[in-house]
Amino acid sequence: MKSMKIATLVALLASPVLAEGDAAAGESKFERNCTTCHAVVDASGNAIIGRANVKTGPNLFGVVGRTAGTEAGFDKYGDSLVAAGAAGGVFDEAALIAYMQDPTAWLRSTLSDDRARSKMSFKLRNEQDAADIAAYLASLN
Ligand code: HEC
């Protein structure tokens, strides 16, 4: 019995601490942090949240599962983000969480290139907020 308890404890300690995303909480966090630069517009042109004509960053509708730097309507991507997509970088939820917290760091690790730079001049410091926003964006797919 005693050894089983220790084994369970070891398993718990060894499992990575992953923030569990809450899509409902993520909606208002997305609105507050992201809609100044990003629209979320569906295929029919309807804004899901925020305004449709925001174009500082790419449309984020369907971004979860999308190859980085490939939103057809956006022509201001930086070279590093396009290169990350060409290298196979896809925004699954884990990648999104990392990207939101530090876009340039995500590009540098994805490309193994310390000169890579993001054109997104925003960092979301809080990992739980990032996980909630990623869950919200995934719920729109
Ligand atoms: C100050 C403006 C600004 C804010 C605020 C901002 N972004 Fe961005 N975002 C950009 C720009 C510009 C790009 C293009 C980056 C590049 O080309 O390197 C971008 C790119 C992205 C991409 C890559 C999409 C693709 O098609 O490859 C994701 C994902 C993203 N932003 C998510 C977010 C989320 C989520 C938030 C809120 C937490 C946010 N951004 C806040 C400006 C912003």
Side-chain angles (χ1 to χ4, degrees), residues 6-76:
I6 290 167
T8 307
L9 186 66
V10 168
L12 281 174
L13 290 174
S15 61
V17 185
L18 280 179
E20 194 70 38
D22 176 344
E27 180 170 0
S28 58
K29 290 175 182 179
F30 182 87
E31 188 158 39
R32 199 160 59 240
N33 290 292
C34 317
T35 54
T36 45
C37 294
H38 291 281
V40 181
V41 176
D42 69 14
S44 323
N46 300 314
I48 308 296
I49 190 168
R51 288 175 297 121
N53 61 351
V54 180
K55 294 194 162 62
T56 307
N59 179 12
L60 293 181
F61 184 76
V63 71
V64 178
R66 190 163 82 198
T67 298
T70 59
E71 205 279 299
F74 190 67
D75 57 10
K76 291 178 284 187

Side-chain angles (χ1 to χ4, degrees), residues 29-30 32-38 55-60 63 66-71 74 76-82 91 95-96 99-101 103 106-107 117-124 129-130 133-134 137:
K29 290 175 182 179
F30 182 87
R32 199 160 59 240
N33 290 292
C34 317
T35 54
T36 45
C37 294
H38 291 281
K55 294 194 162 62
T56 307
N59 179 12
L60 293 181
V63 71
R66 190 163 82 198
T67 298
T70 59
E71 205 279 299
F74 190 67
K76 291 178 284 187
Y77 280 121
D79 294 342
S80 298
L81 190 57
V82 172
F91 284 116
L96 261 181
Y99 182 86
M100 270 181 250
Q101 291 180 281
W106 184 82
L107 289 171
R117 288 206 138 277
S118 177
K119 287 178 74 180
M120 174 164 141
S121 56
F122 178 80
K123 288 180 184 178
L124 190 68
D129 289 352
I133 290 171
L137 288 171

